[in-house]
Amino acid sequence: MLSVRNLQAGYDERLVIKGVSFDLPEGCILALIGPNGSGKSTLIRCLSGVLPPVSGDILFKGKTILKASSAERARWMAVVPQARNLPPAFTGWEMVSLGRTPYLNWLGQLSEKDESLVQKALELTSTLDLAERRIGELSGGEQQRLLLARALAQAAPILLLDEPTTHLDLQHQLSMLERLRGLAHPVNGENGLPWRRLSALVVLHDLNLAARFADQVGLLVNGELRALGSPQDVLTEPLLSAVYQVPIEVMNLPGSGRPVILPRAH
Amino acid sequence: MTKSSARPFVLVSLLLLAAALLSIAVGSVLIPLSTLGELFRSALNGLPGGSAQVDPYLTILLRLRLPRTVLMILIGAALGGSGAAYQGLFRNPLADPYLIGVASGAGLGAVLAMSFRWPYSLLSLLAVPLAALLAALLTVWLVYLLGRVGRTLPTTNLILAGVAVSSFATALTSFLMINATGELRRAIVWLLGGSTLSGWQPVLAALPFITVGLGTLLFMGHALNVLQLGDEQAQQLGLPVQRVRRLVVVAASMATAAAVAFAGIIGFVGLMVPHIIRLVWGGDYRRLLPLSILGGSTFLLLADVVARVVMAPQELPVGVITAMAGAPFFLWLLRRARQQNYW
């Protein structure tokens, strides 16, 4: 779906992403982990077109997207940002319907098809009851769900999520990522969206969430992809202990085969 | 954005119509409504003039009242519309049409033109507004160049450049005014928002700029809605952010510059009218922009009527009235709305 080739990006003279390459296959959830300042958010900004790369290439289905307009790009990739500083006066419906922007003309009139997709996105994220409420009166978890709904209304095959669980409590962290898995691996082969299997690049700080929900894990350190592979291959004691500079113990979750990460005191 | 009721448009349009009739009828000579009706009937029948009794009124109407009314409608529309656009563009409730140096640039241009001695001609009549218009547009262009970073135009840079260039222009204006003689009173009246022109010339001169400027802004409602999420999210949603930004700045500045050039600096309309509309009918820019345009015209017409009658036969600069009436009303509304998520 998405291929990144030797990508370099940064601010002014300082390179933050120093030659990153990876592939995001269809229906894959790739969790991007790494210490603070390793360039995870910068990579998302670069992929979504906000920050032009210094060199390298980004390919969608084998074709470069570096010359694409922002509307074209928004039809291929939808970003779920962190729920911060959202305009409080917007209603839930208004917020989610802005996901249709890449398909609308200057007047922004929604067609019936647009409205049914907005409706669908609200259903899929259990936010129908938030449609008439104002953003300013919603909790962080509700806002985050609306942002996921907005990205789904965008009807793009690729989702880029920037720390979608950071401001959520335990229950909402799990339900957000379970929802994401349902969109990438629909139970009966049907998720109700134009693209049957979404692909997702999701930045996560919680290593256990990455271990539990990701198909693949990429470990970004200092602007370089130090490791990329299955959770079992990447989330190992020596690698994590070296990168995060705390002693880390990795155990196996009985039954699932997925690792559990336990940091230990110094 | 889901509601698409026409009611606010009907309501504001009716208010505008009433204000326009009032503005035509009221002044140092009161034109009775019955006479107004007779004048309109005879105009519709294609008879110039009508009865002898009506004739002097017709002159007042055509030469003075009607152009003045149309000018105020245009200026109010320009200020209300560009005020709404600037507030949306900068995502700042305090943004107003003069924020990025339009007013101080125009002021400098006007005072510069007044410091020359023009031979009496059409050019001399229009020299001051045209110089103001030119200087205002030049100022915005300069602010734009200074605030630009590469191909992007960060909001903070734009505002900082605007403030710096504004201060510089204001300082130059003060310097010129201290050295100038004779025409000083005219400059002061103009800076307080008093038109020094009458007749159809200013209307015709301002019309193209304001029509093109506001016409462009009317197409920007949806884009401004998306921009409320911030530049980054707007771009990720597929909005050509830089192009929208440039279009809005140019269009709003063009309308404002024409307004300032032909009617002086009129405060509070561009700040207050969009806020009132927002408080009553919400912040969807697809409705806010046209309603602010209509509301700006209505408000300025009413202020102008007051300015004409309150110290008759002497006229007050309309800017004095808008600020005196506007500020308290605005504060009252703000207090009432403090608890709501309206901005």
Side-chain angles (χ1 to χ4, degrees):
Chain A
M1 237 344 130
L2 182 72
S3 306
V4 175
R5 294 283 167 264
N6 206 17
L7 196 68
Q8 293 194 319
Y11 308 96
D12 299 323
E13 300 295 295
R14 194 170 58 91
L15 272 189
V16 178
I17 302 295
K18 302 164 182 165
V20 166
S21 301
F22 65 89
D23 287 299
L24 179 66
E26 189 179 356
C28 176
I29 296 181
L30 171 57
L32 198 60
I33 59 169
N36 288 335
S38 60
K40 303 184 294 295
S41 294
T42 304
L43 184 58
I44 297 268
R45 299 186 77 218
C46 187
L47 293 177
S48 67
V50 174
L51 180 72
V54 175
S55 68
D57 205 353
I58 306 169
L59 308 140
F60 174 74
K61 291 188 168 176
K63 282 190 201 139
T64 181
I65 64 165
L66 292 184
K67 297 241 152 62
S69 73
S70 47
E72 278 178 295
R73 215 187 262 242
R75 281 176 223 143
W76 300 327
M77 280 188 265
V79 180
V80 180
Q82 289 186 37
R84 279 192 308 215
N85 301 327
L86 297 173
F90 281 49
T91 65
W93 170 274
E94 287 169 351
M95 178 59 81
V96 175
S97 66
L98 289 181
R100 298 304 297 160
T101 301
Y103 306 90
L104 301 178
N105 62 16
W106 285 100
L107 294 180
Q109 205 64 46
L110 293 180
S111 70
E112 252 173 55
K113 185 186 160 224
D114 292 321
E115 288 190 356
S116 76
L117 272 165
V118 172
Q119 187 76 16
K120 189 82 215 167
L122 289 168
E123 279 169 33
L124 285 171
T125 51
S126 320
T127 46
L128 276 172
D129 55 325
L130 307 181
E132 300 297 324
R133 311 243 329 256
R134 292 194 184 277
I135 299 289
E137 54 191 57
L138 301 180
S139 73
E142 291 169 324
Q143 294 185 359
Q144 194 71 62
R145 258 151 64 206
L146 281 176
L147 289 178
L148 179 63
R150 190 181 78 191
L152 296 182
Q154 225 170 308
I158 299 168
L159 291 184
L160 306 176
L161 302 96
D162 193 1
E163 298 187 27
T165 55
T166 301
H167 299 288
L168 305 186
D169 62 29
L170 196 57
Q171 177 207 347
H172 286 104
Q173 289 180 9
L174 294 177
S175 72
M176 166 69 73
L177 290 172
E178 271 160 12
R179 229 180 272 282
L180 194 61
R181 275 206 79 79
L183 294 164
H185 308 284
V187 182
N188 47 11
E190 198 50 73
N191 62 11
L193 289 169
W195 299 85
R196 251 190 251 153
R197 301 177 67 202
L198 296 187
S199 318
L201 179 69
V202 48
V203 173
L204 289 175
H205 264 302
D206 188 322
L207 301 179
N208 283 309
L209 290 176
R212 184 159 160 190
F213 289 100
D215 300 307
Q216 288 204 49
V217 176
L219 176 61
L220 197 64
V221 183
N222 204 6
E224 290 171 35
L225 209 48
R226 177 75 68 85
L228 178 67
S230 69
Q232 291 88 336
D233 291 343
V234 176
L235 302 169
T236 60
E237 279 176 15
L239 193 53
L240 292 179
S241 302
V243 167
Y244 285 95
Q245 301 191 343
V246 277
I248 282 175
E249 195 175 334
V250 178
M251 299 187 299
N252 261 319
L253 189 67
S256 73
R258 287 182 179 262
V260 179
I261 293 95
L262 288 175
R264 285 184 310 207
H266 280 281
Chain B
M1 271 169 253
T2 44
K3 287 173 248 157
S4 56
S5 150
R7 244 180 62 199
F9 289 95
V10 175
L11 185 65
V12 180
S13 301
L14 283 177
L15 280 175
L16 175 57
L17 190 68
L21 282 176
L22 197 66
S23 164
I24 290 171
V26 175
S28 48
V29 176
L30 192 77
I31 305 181
L33 275 181
S34 57
T35 315
L36 262 186
E38 198 179 327
L39 281 171
F40 276 119
R41 266 197 304 283
S42 62
L44 283 177
N45 293 334
L47 300 171
S51 66
Q53 193 189 9
V54 161
D55 218 27
Y57 286 126
L58 190 69
T59 312
I60 294 178
L61 189 70
L62 287 183
R63 295 264 173 84
L64 293 171
R65 297 285 168 77
L66 211 51
R68 171 77 167 247
T69 301
V70 175
L71 186 67
M72 286 299 134
I73 288 176
L74 280 176
I75 306 301
L79 294 177
S82 54
Y86 278 124
Q87 286 172 10
L89 184 71
F90 297 125
R91 294 196 297 284
N92 188 331
L94 289 178
D96 82 341
Y98 306 133
L99 185 68
I100 56 170
V102 178
S104 41
L108 178 59
V111 173
L112 251 179
M114 285 174 204
S115 63
F116 290 107
R117 275 176 218 287
W118 299 88
Y120 188 80
S121 67
L122 179 63
L123 179 68
S124 78
L125 269 180
L126 286 177
V128 169
L130 286 181
L133 180 66
L134 206 66
L137 294 174
L138 271 174
T139 311
V140 172
W141 182 65
L142 186 66
V143 168
Y144 181 81
L145 284 186
L146 290 172
R148 202 174 54 158
V149 179
R151 279 184 308 165
T152 66
L153 188 60
T155 302
T156 357
N157 286 33
L158 192 61
I159 293 178
L160 287 177
V163 170
V165 172
S166 283
S167 310
F168 190 71
T170 309
L172 277 181
T173 308
S174 308
F175 178 77
L176 281 173
M177 282 176 70
I178 284 168
N179 282 326
T181 49
E183 290 269 318
L184 200 61
R185 197 190 120 72
R186 203 174 149 208
I188 290 173
V189 168
W190 182 84
L191 283 171
L192 286 174
S195 178
T196 51
L197 294 166
S198 62
W200 288 102
Q201 281 146 1
V203 175
L204 290 178
L207 187 68
F209 294 96
I210 293 180
T211 322
V212 172
L214 292 184
T216 310
L217 288 185
L218 283 176
F219 280 92
M220 294 290 140
H222 172 61
L224 284 170
N225 280 342
V226 183
L227 264 190
Q228 299 317 298
L229 300 169
D231 287 5
E232 191 160 320
Q233 286 187 41
Q235 188 176 342
Q236 288 166 343
L237 285 169
L239 193 78
V241 171
Q242 296 308 326
R243 202 189 319 156
V244 167
R245 212 173 250 303
R246 272 196 297 270
L247 268 173
V248 173
V249 167
V250 171
S253 303
M254 201 157 83
T256 308
V260 177
F262 295 100
I265 294 168
I266 301 173
F268 260 99
V269 181
L271 181 67
M272 199 177 66
V273 170
H275 275 296
I276 294 174
I277 304 284
R278 198 191 304 272
L279 279 167
V280 183
W281 288 299
D284 182 345
Y285 281 89
R286 286 174 301 175
R287 286 142 54 87
L288 184 61
L289 279 169
L291 286 173
S292 297
I293 288 171
L294 294 172
S297 299
T298 311
F299 179 66
L300 194 59
L301 275 176
L302 294 176
D304 187 52
V305 170
V306 175
R308 271 183 275 165
V309 299
V310 79
M311 280 176 65
Q314 206 193 347
E315 265 185 31
L316 278 178
V318 67
V320 175
I321 302 295
T322 58
M324 280 203 304
F329 182 57
F330 181 59
L331 287 174
W332 174 74
L333 266 177
L334 205 62
R335 279 192 69 82
R336 237 188 46 160
R338 195 179 275 171
Q339 298 306 320
Q340 296 169 14
N341 287 315
Y342 100 94
W343 170 254

